[in-house]
Amino acid sequence: MPKIIFYFIVILLASSCKDAVSETASVQEPQWEVVTNGLPNKVRVDSKAQTILNEWKDFIGLERSFDKIYNTENREDFVLIIDELVENQKKMEAGIYPAAFDIPQIKGRQKIFKTYILKTKGDLEYRQDPKESLEQMITAFNDLRNQFNVVVNNTLPDELRANEEN
């Protein structure tokens, strides 16, 4: 009789553990889809600004890394993309800016973007929901791209822009 009870308990434990593992595996995927659905789209860059940006290799690397955000399928891939974004942002910050974009307005927008990249990275490291910080990061990147448009389409005379820096 004790052998029958022992085998019954072993079978009961084995079957209960098996069901729990399959439940957690199916729960994680839909959660990530909720995070990546409904992300804001990238702002288009003016053709004048795009010609300058095409020659700026550091920004091209940053933009390629950023585009991968929209194609992530799971949390682990997203963590790697955020790490890549951090590295590319550091390269861009330390690199040489094109003459038209070597101004405080662009560098300020870039620092804000860096802040939200690090906030998103922190959310991922502490296993918090990164949806809000991800949206803020995308908004900051869009603001940086929009600032390129503003700089290129600026119609103020050079004398006024020189006085603006003082």
Side-chain angles (χ1 to χ4, degrees):
M1 185 71 161
K3 287 183 182 181
I4 295 173
I5 294 174
F6 174 74
Y7 288 124
F8 179 70
I9 292 173
V10 170
I11 291 172
L12 182 65
L13 287 175
S15 65
S16 66
C17 291
K18 191 175 186 182
D19 292 336
V21 172
S22 64
E23 257 183 53
T24 56
S26 65
V27 170
Q28 287 179 349
E29 282 303 316
Q31 286 178 348
W32 186 249
E33 289 176 9
V34 169
V35 171
T36 56
N37 286 342
L39 292 177
N41 294 326
K42 278 180 24 179
V43 171
R44 294 191 69 235
V45 176
D46 205 39
S47 60
K48 294 178 202 175
Q50 190 62 48
T51 56
I52 297 170
L53 292 175
N54 287 339
E55 297 173 8
W56 192 8
K57 295 196 185 321
D58 295 330
F59 182 77
I60 291 172
L62 181 73
E63 191 170 31
R64 284 185 183 145
S65 298
F66 185 82
D67 288 339
K68 293 177 187 178
I69 291 172
Y70 294 100
N71 299 326
T72 57
E73 295 179 3
N74 56 37
R75 187 178 193 94
E76 292 78 20
D77 290 344
F78 188 67
V79 169
L80 294 173
I81 291 169
I82 292 296
D83 289 340
E84 185 179 338
L85 270 172
V86 168
E87 291 301 317
N88 286 334
Q89 194 281 328
K90 285 180 183 177
K91 286 180 191 174
M92 184 175 151
E93 191 175 36
I96 299 172
Y97 289 75
F101 297 143
D102 195 10
I103 57 174
Q105 292 88 343
I106 298 294
K107 291 180 180 182
R109 296 283 183 187
Q110 184 181 353
K111 284 185 190 252
I112 293 170
F113 177 58
K114 176 183 177 181
T115 301
Y116 287 115
I117 292 173
L118 295 176
K119 181 179 179 185
T120 305
K121 183 178 179 176
D123 285 350
L124 291 169
E125 285 180 8
Y126 292 112
R127 297 276 184 200
Q128 296 178 353
D129 183 22
K131 178 112 175 136
E132 181 182 344
S133 58
L134 179 59
E135 288 176 354
Q136 291 170 341
M137 182 184 73
I138 292 171
T139 302
F141 187 73
N142 283 338
D143 291 343
L144 175 65
R145 290 174 63 89
N146 193 37
Q147 191 65 39
F148 293 140
N149 292 336
V150 169
V151 168
V152 169
N153 294 324
N154 193 356
T155 58
L156 289 174
D158 290 335
E159 304 100 32
L160 290 176
R161 277 192 258 157
N163 289 336
E164 182 181 299
E165 292 176 4
N166 293 332

